[in-house]
Amino acid sequence: MVLLILLSLTLVIWILATIDALIGFRKLDSLEKAGGADQEPLLSVIVAARNEEEHITQSVLTQLAQTYKNTEWILVNDRSEDGTGNVMENLKGSDSRIQVIHIESLPEGWLGKNHALYKGFQLASGRLILFTDADVMYHPEAFSRAVGYFEEHSLDHLTAAPNLSAKPFWLKAFVAFFLFGFSYYKRPWLGNNPRSKTGVGIGAFNMITRSAYEKVGTHEYIKMRPDDDLQLGMMVKRQGLKQRIVTAMTLIEVEWYQTLGEALGGLEKNTFAGLHYRISMVLFSVFGVFVSQVLPFFTVFSGNQSVAILSAVNLAFLAVLYVMVTKKMTQFSPWLFLVLPFTALLFIFSILRASYLTMKRGGIIWRGTKYTLAELRKNTLR
């Protein structure tokens, strides 16, 4: 009886989520279809990097090759212990549009990346600000199409979902599952609904007007949020500003992580934050993922006909939603659905692992710096 109730509830959820995604994805544009910018307002690109010697040169070179020319770069070296600072200085010497900031110490009450981005903004001159990461690769038309789309729709904020590339099979499956979960949980298409207060931001590409950034309080308002990119987008919507999210599968690319182990380690910093540092939310999330995305794969073989049928229908809607998300938000094969229960279990493990390590350490370790749980909870957005 309990099983029938749980499967019935999850079926209702998947039906509603599928309908929601069908409607939502129709409003999610592809940046590839946008025209180039007719006018070129000054664009300030801010890249914060800590120990990114291996990636930053290639990333910045793809930015310097943009067809959009009215651009300046502020590269912020956030207390790096490798050659990142020297690489930045070499890049500065190759192009007069580049400025470099070297941060030697972190003020109390700030996360390193958030502080670095804020310091970069203070040096920026552009009407448009682009916050991006040091490992993002750009097609030469990316900036022009983004600014063109931004101006055409009179936006205050534009965020773009990049192609998250991955090589190992299980990493691909895990990234695909993560994007699947992000899509039905965060419903990013709501960012395109002017009546919705739900916003979204993606760290690889957050373009915002100077006036909008100042109106939402800058990174100073979210200085202790490890999910600063998402929070920035949410603040934009809360202020009633105009936001759009687009996909940019061939214009912007980032190799999120190189191995599954790195992915699990990377999620340590913001998984517990996304659950508001609450054990109750952790348990609810684990239970929800298991019941809705693992259990039906096993109960479909039940000797109870009602349970088997309900499980099969659950899987049918789950498959439709998974395929929709995978085709729209990734360049991975939809056939990865066949290993979904295993990637769901991996995701459950990542939630438990991140929450346990955060509690055990009394905080998170991000970019080589420890931030206490007390600080993080104290600065959770009100």
Side-chain angles (χ1 to χ4, degrees), residues 29 33 40 42 46 58 89 93 148 167 199 204 209 235-236 239 242 251 274 277 284 288 329 331 367 375-376:
D29 296 331
K33 296 180 181 179
E40 294 195 351
L42 178 60
I46 301 173
Q58 188 179 358
E89 290 294 339
K167 295 181 177 66
T209 63
M235 291 192 305
V236 167
Q239 289 291 331
K242 192 170 182 181
L251 293 176
Y277 306 108
F284 178 78
M329 304 291 288
Q331 292 192 328
R367 294 186 169 196
E375 288 180 289
L376 296 168

Side-chain angles (χ1 to χ4, degrees), residues 199-220:
V200 66
I202 298 171
F205 193 96
N206 262 327
M207 180 180 286
I208 189 169
T209 63
R210 171 180 292 273
S211 59
Y213 182 63
E214 291 173 339
K215 184 174 182 179
V216 302
T218 74
H219 274 85
E220 191 169 16

Side-chain angles (χ1 to χ4, degrees), residues 60-276:
V60 173
L61 288 178
T62 66
Q63 297 173 41
L64 294 174
Q66 293 294 301
T67 59
Y68 191 92
K69 298 303 181 185
N70 193 19
T71 311
E72 65 171 7
W73 281 265
I74 296 93
L75 308 182
V76 188
N77 173 26
D78 179 24
R79 301 164 295 132
S80 294
E81 297 168 343
D82 63 359
T84 298
N86 292 332
V87 171
M88 287 182 174
E89 290 294 339
N90 289 337
L91 288 166
K92 176 183 176 180
S94 70
D95 196 303
S96 61
R97 296 173 296 173
I98 296 177
Q99 302 179 70
V100 175
I101 300 174
H102 297 282
I103 295 177
E104 302 295 337
S105 61
L106 181 64
E108 185 178 350
W110 279 90
L111 293 184
K113 180 186 175 185
N114 300 0
H115 175 251
L117 292 175
Y118 179 62
K119 295 299 289 185
F121 165 73
Q122 290 181 315
L123 196 63
S125 303
R127 179 173 70 83
L128 294 181
I129 309 295
L130 172 60
F131 296 110
T132 188
D133 293 330
D135 55 355
V136 181
M137 306 302 161
Y138 287 92
H139 183 279
E141 288 289 326
F143 286 7
S144 180
R145 292 182 187 273
V147 174
Y149 187 92
F150 198 102
E151 298 290 289
E152 178 187 354
H153 294 278
S154 303
L155 300 180
D156 297 296
H157 175 242
L158 173 68
T159 193
N163 171 34
L164 291 180
S165 63
K167 295 181 177 66
F169 173 81
W170 283 108
L171 180 59
K172 287 181 183 178
F174 186 75
V175 172
F177 179 85
F178 180 85
L179 290 171
F180 168 66
F182 174 80
S183 296
Y184 76 74
Y185 180 63
K186 291 296 184 182
R187 304 167 67 202
W189 46 81
L190 290 179
N192 296 340
N193 183 346
R195 294 186 299 276
S196 172
K197 290 297 183 182
T198 301
V200 66
I202 298 171
F205 193 96
N206 262 327
M207 180 180 286
I208 189 169
T209 63
R210 171 180 292 273
S211 59
Y213 182 63
E214 291 173 339
K215 184 174 182 179
V216 302
T218 74
H219 274 85
E220 191 169 16
Y221 188 73
I222 50 173
K223 56 187 178 182
M224 286 297 291
R225 290 292 309 205
D227 53 349
D228 64 291
D229 49 358
L230 177 62
Q231 293 298 328
L232 179 63
M234 292 174 67
M235 291 192 305
V236 167
K237 292 292 282 187
R238 289 191 192 115
Q239 289 291 331
L241 300 173
K242 192 170 182 181
Q243 177 187 90
R244 285 286 181 96
I245 175 175
V246 295
T247 59
M249 293 295 109
T250 63
L251 293 176
I252 307 173
E253 180 175 333
V254 58
E255 187 176 18
W256 197 28
Y257 296 104
Q258 293 185 333
T259 67
L260 181 58
E262 287 183 8
L264 293 175
L267 290 176
E268 290 175 19
K269 69 178 175 63
N270 53 17
T271 300
F272 205 20
L275 298 172
H276 308 292

Side-chain angles (χ1 to χ4, degrees), residues 185 275 280-290 347-348 351:
Y185 180 63
L275 298 172
S280 58
M281 287 293 293
V282 172
L283 297 176
F284 178 78
S285 299
V286 167
F287 178 78
V289 172
F290 181 81
F347 186 66
I348 287 172
I351 294 174

